[in-house]
Structure formats: structure tokens, C-alpha cells
Amino acid sequence: MSNYFFYEGYMIKTKHAIKRMQKRGMNDFQVELLEKYGVKKRQKQHWRDKNSQVAMVYLNITGKKIARKNGVNPKFVGMKNLETGAWITFFVPYNNKRIRNY
């Protein structure tokens, strides 16, 4: 496997994901919450790449309660590649943005 992916425990992250985590002040605890209590919502396929396997992962109700209890913002979201299982990026949506079926 190339140096594009980094193994940290059982989580695989891209270089971009690691930089986004540092920029947004996220830690591995939040990524573990997404792994354990995350709800995957599959993204539309891009017109250039018909075989893209990307899902947006956000917390369910139980995960939000655990995040609040530990003093973590429960609104964070991650993008995950379903083929490789690697995390692509992390972000916190704006307050006026609503994720459908959230």
C-alpha cells in the first residue's frame, strides 16, 4: 500500500484527513465515536467517477449523548471511502446546514 494511507490502530486515514483533524482540533476519540456510533449516508456518484464509494458518516442519538457527556461537539461529520475503509476528511457543518435523515 502506498504512503497515501496511514494506519493508526485499526483506523486508516489519508494525509488530507490527518491535516483536517489537526486544523479542526479533532482527536482519535471522536473518530472512534464515528466508527462505533456512526450512521452512513451514501453520497451521490460523481459524473466523472461512476464507481465512487463514498459515504458521509455522522453520529446517531447514542453517539451524540456520549459526545456531549465527554465535552465534545456532537455535530462533527466524516467522509469515508467504503472500498478501502479509509477516512477521507472531517468537518463540522454550518448551523444552517441540515443533513437529511439526521
Side-chain angles (χ1 to χ4, degrees), residues 34-89:
L34 281 177
E35 288 276 349
K36 195 169 187 181
Y37 299 104
V39 176
K40 293 177 184 165
K41 182 178 178 190
R42 196 161 185 150
Q43 296 298 295
K44 288 183 184 177
Q45 293 180 340
H46 195 270
W47 62 273
R48 283 188 213 153
D49 187 13
K50 295 294 182 186
N51 297 325
S52 63
Q53 303 290 326
V54 178
M56 184 167 51
V57 183
Y58 52 90
L59 290 176
N60 62 9
I61 294 172
T62 308
K64 286 181 186 178
K65 287 179 184 176
I66 293 171
R68 282 191 198 104
K69 188 185 289 185
N70 291 309
V72 176
N73 182 6
K75 292 185 178 181
F76 59 91
V77 178
M79 296 293 280
K80 189 168 189 172
N81 186 338
L82 297 176
E83 266 182 52
T84 61
W87 289 100
I88 299 169
T89 188

Side-chain angles (χ1 to χ4, degrees), residues 11-22:
M11 294 180 285
I12 305 169
K13 298 176 195 164
T14 60
K15 288 180 182 180
H16 180 75
I18 293 170
K19 286 181 183 177
R20 294 306 110 200
M21 283 180 67
Q22 291 171 351

